[in-house]
Amino acid sequence: MPELLVVILVISVLFVGVTAGSVALAVYLTRRLAVAARARASELADRARTRATALAGQGVTAEAARLRLELRTALDSTRRALAAAQAAGWPVGDAPSLVRRLERAAAEVDARLRILGSERGPAWAADQLPRLRQQVRTVTESCGELRAGLSRHGLDVGDAELNHLREDCRIEGQALGTPTPLGWPDAELPRRGDPPRR
């Protein structure tokens, strides 16, 4: 009988421990989700406020908001281009580390623009705009060059792969004794080793 009580006690302690652990994990995950949701909501509010200021504002404040939008758009496009290249399995080289460096540089410029945009009227704020405009231009042009490189590489890979596929299909069609596709006389099909058509 005492052994039965010990077994019941051990099972009860394990049950309470598992339940407490589950509750603690649920609270932890809920907090993390709440913090992430709050950060996302804050980011969305900042984006909406920046867009409204850029469209309806005047002076240094509106110019700073427009530059922030330009910076954000270039970075978002570059992130999407990198993600698409990675999803397609293209070699991306140092592009991920370059995107991280661009993000850090853009964050610094964005912080300066945010401070500048919160100022109302001082002449020194207007004096800072040309330098910040140049920094935004440098970051956005760098983003554009990286996107163009990713895109060009993807086109080259795509052309080569499509030409190779077309050649393999032609060879297989001949092996099966089928005629070439309508409108593609055999003389027009590229041969293995031919340069890609543009």
Side-chain angles (χ1 to χ4, degrees), residues 71-89:
L71 197 60
R72 190 175 293 148
T73 301
L75 275 174
D76 289 346
S77 297
T78 304
R79 284 188 205 106
R80 283 193 302 273
L82 176 61
Q86 289 172 326

Side-chain angles (χ1 to χ4, degrees), residues 23-64:
V23 168
L25 181 62
V27 167
Y28 172 76
L29 291 176
T30 302
R31 277 187 171 170
R32 295 240 352 187
L33 287 173
V35 168
R38 189 177 310 131
R40 181 68 180 147
S42 176
E43 179 185 340
L44 289 174
D46 180 53
R47 283 178 180 247
R49 191 172 35 255
T50 302
R51 188 170 305 279
T53 303
L55 294 174
Q58 296 179 355
V60 174
T61 304
E63 178 68 15

Side-chain angles (χ1 to χ4, degrees), residues 59-61 115-129:
V60 174
T61 304
I115 291 169
L116 192 68
S118 66
E119 295 296 327
R120 303 278 190 245
W124 67 266
D127 293 340
Q128 298 296 317
L129 268 177

Side-chain angles (χ1 to χ4, degrees), residues 39-185:
R40 181 68 180 147
S42 176
E43 179 185 340
L44 289 174
D46 180 53
R47 283 178 180 247
R49 191 172 35 255
T50 302
R51 188 170 305 279
T53 303
L55 294 174
Q58 296 179 355
V60 174
T61 304
E63 178 68 15
R66 281 190 285 277
L67 289 171
R68 288 183 70 203
L69 286 177
E70 185 179 336
L71 197 60
R72 190 175 293 148
T73 301
L75 275 174
D76 289 346
S77 297
T78 304
R79 284 188 205 106
R80 283 193 302 273
L82 176 61
Q86 289 172 326
W90 301 340
V92 293
D94 289 335
S97 66
L98 291 173
V99 168
R100 286 191 297 275
R101 287 175 55 194
L102 284 167
E103 286 171 340
R104 284 193 301 272
E108 290 178 19
V109 175
D110 186 69
R112 289 188 205 111
L113 286 167
R114 184 180 306 192
I115 291 169
L116 192 68
S118 66
E119 295 296 327
R120 303 278 190 245
W124 67 266
D127 293 340
Q128 298 296 317
L129 268 177
R131 183 170 177 220
L132 289 171
R133 197 176 293 124
Q134 179 57 41
Q135 290 177 346
V136 168
R137 186 176 309 119
T138 300
V139 172
T140 57
E141 287 174 358
S142 300
C143 287
E145 289 171 11
L146 186 57
R147 284 192 314 274
L150 288 168
S151 178
R152 274 192 307 272
H153 179 72
L155 287 174
D156 292 343
V157 169
D159 287 346
E161 178 63 26
L162 288 174
N163 286 333
H164 187 68
L165 175 62
R166 186 177 185 186
E167 175 66 11
D168 289 347
C169 290
R170 186 188 66 77
I171 290 169
E172 186 63 23
Q174 287 177 345
L176 294 171
T178 58
T180 58
L182 294 176
W184 285 3

